Amino acid sequence: MNNEKYNSLSVVGTQWGDEGKGKITNYLSLKADMVVRHQGGNNAGHSISIDGKKYSLHLIPSGIFNPSVKNVMANGMVIDPLALVKELEILESQGIKDYQLFISDRAHVLMPYHIRLDGMYEELKGFRKIGTTKKGIGPAYVDKFSRDGIRFADLLDDELFQNLLKDNLLIKNKIFEAFGKEKFCFEEVYEKIISAREKIKKFITDTSLIVHEALENGDKVLFEGAQGVLLCIDHGTYPFVTSSSPTSSSIPVNVGIPLNSISKTLGVVKSYSTRVGKGAFPTEFENKISKKIREIGNEFGTTTGRPRRIGWFDANLVRHAARVSGLTDISVTLLDVLSGIDKLKICKSYLLNGKEIKYLPAGETDFNNLKPIYINLPGWKEDITNVKSFDELPKNAKKYLLKIEELTGVKVSQFSIGPDRNQTIDINQLFK
Ligand code: IMP
């Protein structure tokens, strides 16, 4: 549903992440006054290509390249200060020195022990190994919700920070000891975090006030989702999900702004599907075509380098994302990767125990047993990387986009035909 009060746009991934949100948010950030990241941490990885130069972002919002854009890391994030400092240093070495960054004082600090716990749990788990990015995301959110977390506001209060760290190490070191793992030394962790704090403390502030003020001023505010709706802790393919909610509906809580703050939600969908890590994937296939897609689409994880699993476009899955995240518009990315494939398939619904269904079942066994029902579409041979409008697309590429629109029930407002942000074509206007 469009909300006319503010001039804001939320961009969410609608599959299992890696839909090209980084490129799309970076493109949209050229039109924005503010870019807000609201969940997750450096499990995310965005590759951005600007004028042929490549950048890689994990924590920092995609508006960082534009000095006039305010970049906000909101309270819903879990932020590793050491990783953040490293990311800033890399950007600075690439010439990105003039930027505006604001870190929420209510965001949680992802600590070195969270990373070790993440790896340890993955090692110990049996059939429910998740295949996490091992960046400590799950354990950091566990501490947040068990009220053992350390927030950025606490980092600025040295005595409190020391006490919180001592308390946390008391418990965590018992766990490490029980599993025969190396314990953490207070002084070592303290020194590391404090030296990172010195670099970033000027950015720590109450970001809820800043974002709210921007909305009230009528500024163009872009909410940048990480991961994708199918990785949502509530509405994703649990337990093979991340530990936050990448939906648009989570934004008010994760940023500290009113319910009606989102004017539009743009769902970024890849023209096919990919997944990294474990978990069922109904339209997955492995053959010559998937290999070609992986190669041309460069389908290897930005964060872990793992080859991504490949599947056909799953309209059933995107319909689910459209409902739980309230999509008003869709951006179809990597359309160029499908050029040269003779016959394309789109999954329109599933067969479960002999019955056609048009929703995602919650049960793990049911989800594992889904059989996709496909419609076949003719492909196109033309190189489309230089087209400038929908009308310039080959007939079959147009048909493919219109089929996505029909099956998902959401209008396709944008498509993208290459890694450069200039290779993004607007069909409908997204910001007012
Ligand atoms: P975690 O977020 O590191 O705990 O990993 C949980 C699951 O989410 C794993 O399957 C990861 O591969 C997946 N995941 C986390 N972040 C991303 C992302 O940005 N893109 C794609 N998959 C992700």
Side-chain angles (χ1 to χ4, degrees):
M1 171 94 51
N2 287 12
N3 184 319
E4 294 297 333
K5 181 170 179 205
Y6 299 123
N7 196 359
S8 66
L9 175 68
S10 148
V11 177
V12 297
T14 56
Q15 292 150 320
W16 282 286
D18 309 317
E19 299 91 351
K21 289 178 304 297
K23 182 199 132 159
I24 298 301
T25 41
N26 180 253
Y27 166 80
L28 291 164
S29 76
L30 295 175
K31 301 173 184 174
D33 301 302
M34 176 177 276
V35 182
V36 183
R37 249 203 75 184
H38 45 90
Q39 41 78 224
N42 59 333
N43 48 348
H46 288 162
S47 331
I48 292 176
S49 167
I50 304 172
D51 301 327
K53 214 168 158 185
K54 283 204 165 56
Y55 303 90
S56 180
L57 296 179
H58 296 278
L59 281 163
I60 297 173
S62 305
I64 201 74
F65 306 100
N66 187 344
S68 65
V69 173
K70 293 190 169 86
N71 291 278
V72 173
M73 300 169 75
N75 57 281
M77 290 186 75
V78 288
I79 304 166
D80 175 346
L82 308 177
L84 177 59
V85 167
K86 204 163 150 202
E87 199 168 314
L88 283 170
E89 283 171 355
I90 293 175
L91 284 177
E92 284 168 11
S93 75
Q94 292 179 297
I96 311 299
K97 292 183 177 145
D98 186 12
Y99 54 79
Q100 299 187 61
L101 185 64
F102 304 87
I103 303 170
S104 169
D105 47 10
R106 290 181 172 84
H108 278 246
V109 183
L110 192 148
M111 300 291 286
Y113 47 77
H114 292 134
I115 301 172
R116 192 174 295 168
L117 282 169
D118 197 358
M120 193 179 96
Y121 292 146
E122 277 292 279
E123 235 174 73
L124 291 168
K125 275 183 188 179
F127 78 104
R128 267 188 166 196
K129 248 185 230 315
I130 292 164
T132 73
T133 58
K134 299 197 179 149
K135 299 288 177 190
I137 306 298
Y141 277 114
V142 166
D143 274 359
K144 170 175 175 171
F145 287 97
S146 65
R147 289 145 298 167
D148 294 313
I150 300 177
R151 299 178 308 160
F152 278 82
D154 308 330
L155 274 193
L156 300 179
D157 179 341
D158 200 59
E159 196 183 331
L160 177 65
F161 174 54
Q162 290 201 30
N163 289 332
L164 288 171
L165 180 57
K166 279 181 192 148
D167 254 26
N168 265 288
L169 287 184
L170 209 67
I171 302 172
K172 266 80 181 181
N173 276 340
K174 285 211 169 86
I175 302 176
F176 292 127
E177 203 174 4
F179 287 99
K181 301 279 172 196
E182 201 187 330
K183 292 200 278 184
F184 278 92
C185 154
F186 170 83
E187 283 75 21
E188 221 173 277
V189 180
Y190 178 74
E191 288 306 325
K192 272 191 187 160
I193 300 293
I194 289 308
S195 87
R197 179 189 70 182
E198 288 316 297
K199 168 102 186 167
I200 57 177
K201 70 178 178 200
K202 59 177 183 275
F203 305 128
I204 303 172
T205 185
D206 187 335
T207 54
S208 151
L209 293 173
I210 295 175
V211 180
H212 190 236
E213 192 182 302
L215 287 167
E216 288 290 325
N217 277 345
D219 291 352
K220 293 186 177 113
V221 179
L222 185 67
F223 296 98
E224 173 177 356
Q227 291 89 43
V229 173
L230 271 300
L231 290 172
C232 172
I233 185 79
D234 277 286
H235 300 290
T237 46
Y238 192 90
F240 303 104
V241 293
T242 190
S243 298
S244 65
S245 175
T247 61
S248 225
S249 17
S250 73
I251 292 175
V253 173
N254 283 336
V255 181
I257 47 173
L259 254 187
N260 62 349
S261 299
I262 322 291
S263 311
K264 285 185 181 179
T265 296
L266 176 70
V268 183
V269 305
K270 214 175 246 189
S271 60
Y272 46 93
S273 309
T274 59
R275 180 163 199 180
V276 275
K278 303 260 191 305
F281 183 0
T283 64
E284 181 175 21
F285 66 99
E286 186 60 42
N287 59 20
K288 255 182 10 210
I289 298 175
S290 65
K291 283 199 180 83
K292 185 175 160 196
I293 290 178
R294 187 176 295 115
E295 213 169 285
I296 298 176
N298 191 24
E299 295 296 355
F300 298 89
T302 318
T303 303
T304 58
R306 291 179 285 181
R308 296 180 186 140
R309 300 156 65 193
I310 309 287
W312 293 113
F313 185 84
D314 188 338
N316 209 35
L317 210 110
V318 177
R319 261 200 315 274
H320 170 86
R323 190 180 72 254
V324 302
S325 205
L327 303 186
T328 56
D329 302 78
I330 274 182
S331 173
V332 180
T333 57
L334 292 119
L335 190 63
D336 54 302
V337 175
L338 298 184
S339 295
I341 301 175
D342 280 350
K343 288 181 192 143
L344 299 167
K345 289 182 180 190
I346 293 184
C347 165
K348 69 177 180 82
S349 52
Y350 305 127
L351 206 59
L352 175 66
N353 303 325
K355 275 201 188 121
E356 184 180 0
I357 61 163
K358 291 193 170 172
Y359 61 89
L360 293 195
E364 225 177 306
T365 309
D366 281 351
F367 198 81
N368 287 338
N369 289 331
L370 295 175
K371 300 265 176 305
I373 302 178
Y374 288 113
I375 53 166
N376 296 305
L377 290 144
W380 59 92
K381 291 208 162 30
E382 297 87 335
D383 173 8
I384 58 170
T385 52
N386 290 314
V387 306
K388 297 279 176 270
S389 67
F390 179 80
D391 290 339
E392 282 180 34
L393 282 174
K395 186 177 84 221
N396 289 344
K398 282 185 197 156
K399 275 193 185 159
Y400 191 78
L401 290 183
L402 292 174
K403 195 44 103 180
I404 289 179
E405 187 165 288
E406 178 197 319
L407 291 174
T408 59
V410 185
K411 63 177 182 291
V412 173
S413 288
Q414 192 180 62
F415 63 94
S416 132
I417 35 136
D420 207 87
R421 68 180 173 195
N422 299 325
Q423 291 170 299
T424 314
I425 314 294
D426 288 333
I427 303 174
N428 298 306
Q429 194 190 5
L430 289 161
F431 275 122
K432 262 193 272 181

